[in-house]
Amino acid sequence: MSAILVTGGAGFLGSHLCDRLIERGDDVICVDNFFTGRKQNIQHLIGHPQFELVRHDIVHPLYLECDQIYNLACPASPVAYQYNAIKTIKTSTVGMVNVLGLAKRCRARILHASTSEVYGDPEVHPQTEDYWGHVNPLGPRSCYDEGKRVAESLCMNYHLAHDLEVRLIRIFNTYGPRMDPNDGRVISNFITQALRGEPLTIYGDGSQTRSFCYVDDLIAGMMKLMDNDEHTGPFNIGNPVENSMLELAEKVLAETQSKSELKNLELPADDPKQRCPNIEKARTLLGWEPKVPLETGLKSTVAYYREQLGV
């Protein structure tokens, strides 16, 4: 049994991670400031003898004892991270320093949840971990992109300077139950619009692609990386199967049996045209690859949103 700290533990990914760790027998300390995290995501864990909830913002120092740290604290959807861009940057910089300082004091292994956004609007496809990226440092997404890039640099420098055990994961588009219906990402947008009978908003001509990884697969990859004793990373964790936005819209309409039409809007600034991980490194060194097809994952996600929206 280990004492494991999960920052951002009431969020979409963090709450699923808390579940898996507790199922395994670990003691979990969930830290969240509830900016985007939701109490309903962890309500079923309140009162569990292996679960502790701490309301705290990692921009301020945190003092506790733990064996491992999963750092998932940061708004992840464009709507959320652009709402308060300075706060987003501080979470990935000041907050990262605070969490690394805690790991150093406790001699805890730390896994940092980075993102495919470090690749920006990529000129290399699919993206491999040795690609340095194509990021606009002054654009509307830079608070998140550049914040996450600095966070990776901080992790590696703590690793080199203090021999801290660091693990870096670059998360590609992930979906599933507990994703906030209003978080502004494409799968949540499409499903909620379809269930409400509203037009599905397609930005640009819909030819841009994304790869979608079901949450259970993502959490399995994250835990495999944390529990390996050899590799620091970074590791791409995502699904290498690409879908255009038009293809995704068709799949959502089929699963929801909605009659919604498509509505084209202007493409947002710096929106990547392609986003797809090369996961050979994770396959080879971690023995991980996704197992849940998009159609299967959409079925459980749609069921969750039907319950949430009451439709």
Side-chain angles (χ1 to χ4, degrees):
M1 180 185 296
S2 298
I4 300 181
L5 168 63
V6 180
T7 70
F12 163 46
L13 295 180
S15 62
H16 283 279
L17 176 62
C18 289
D19 285 344
R20 298 293 89 75
L21 294 171
I22 288 173
E23 287 172 9
R24 192 175 68 177
D26 296 311
D27 288 332
V28 173
I29 306 167
C30 167
V31 168
D32 208 295
N33 68 350
F34 294 100
F35 176 62
T36 55
R38 299 188 296 164
K39 288 185 179 178
Q40 71 182 74
N41 289 341
I42 49 147
Q43 192 64 47
H44 61 289
L45 296 175
I46 301 297
H48 194 290
Q50 293 164 235
F51 182 78
E52 180 180 354
L53 174 62
V54 178
R55 185 169 191 141
H56 183 84
D57 190 328
I58 64 166
V59 168
H60 305 288
L62 179 62
Y63 303 100
L64 45 76
E65 301 298 324
C66 58
D67 303 305
Q68 293 183 348
I69 301 171
Y70 287 85
N71 183 44
L72 278 63
C74 189
S77 74
V79 171
Y81 66 64
Q82 291 178 28
Y83 176 78
N84 188 338
I86 293 172
K87 179 70 171 178
T88 297
I89 295 170
K90 289 175 72 175
T91 300
S92 290
T93 54
V94 177
M96 188 79 252
V97 169
N98 287 335
V99 175
L100 285 165
L102 174 64
K104 178 187 172 187
R105 183 179 63 79
C106 294
R107 301 310 299 170
R109 180 179 294 178
I110 177 170
L111 181 145
H112 172 60
S114 189
T115 170
S116 60
E117 295 289 343
V118 300
Y119 299 123
D121 187 2
E123 297 175 320
V124 171
H125 189 78
Q127 292 83 59
T128 56
E129 290 88 349
D130 57 1
Y131 176 52
W132 291 356
H134 179 228
V135 175
N136 177 1
L138 302 178
R141 303 169 74 102
S142 64
C143 59
Y144 186 67
D145 302 357
E146 296 288 40
K148 288 289 191 177
R149 286 160 70 95
V150 171
E152 286 195 16
S153 178
L154 284 166
C155 287
M156 289 308 297
N157 279 283
Y158 267 77
H159 171 63
L160 295 171
H162 303 296
D163 199 29
L164 191 65
E165 288 193 74
V166 165
R167 303 291 182 264
L168 291 173
I169 179 175
R170 290 176 179 165
I171 298 173
F172 282 69
N173 293 68
T174 306
Y175 70 99
R178 298 186 199 161
M179 179 183 278
D180 187 340
N182 301 309
D183 84 343
R185 282 178 280 193
V186 64
I187 284 187
S188 54
N189 279 354
F190 280 1
I191 293 176
T192 54
Q193 289 166 345
L195 291 176
R196 289 169 174 160
E198 301 169 353
L200 271 61
T201 50
I202 303 281
Y203 293 97
D205 62 7
S207 63
Q208 66 271 36
T209 65
R210 296 292 185 273
S211 57
F212 299 101
C213 185
Y214 189 63
V215 61
D216 289 356
D217 285 333
L218 187 283
I219 297 303
M222 187 180 290
M223 292 174 67
K224 271 185 175 287
L225 175 55
M226 174 65 97
D227 294 337
N228 97 90
D229 294 323
E230 298 180 50
H231 308 293
T232 297
F235 283 88
N236 290 336
I237 300 293
N239 194 323
V241 178
E242 280 184 272
N243 288 270
S244 72
M245 297 302 94
L246 288 174
E247 290 170 338
L248 176 63
E250 291 171 0
K251 292 179 188 294
V252 169
L253 290 174
E255 181 56 41
T256 57
Q257 297 184 326
S258 172
K259 304 299 183 184
S260 293
E261 298 180 348
L262 306 183
K263 179 181 179 181
N264 291 82
L265 299 177
E266 186 177 350
L267 195 67
D270 298 330
D271 191 59
K273 301 176 190 66
Q274 293 178 304
R275 185 62 64 70
C276 181
N278 180 314
I279 62 167
E280 284 308 308
K281 187 175 177 182
R283 278 195 181 111
T284 302
L285 299 180
L286 301 179
W288 175 88
E289 62 182 335
K291 299 177 181 178
V292 180
L294 180 57
E295 291 80 4
T296 304
L298 283 177
K299 189 177 295 294
S300 61
T301 308
V302 167
Y304 171 79
Y305 282 136
R306 283 193 189 280
E307 181 181 351
Q308 292 292 300
L309 300 174
V311 294

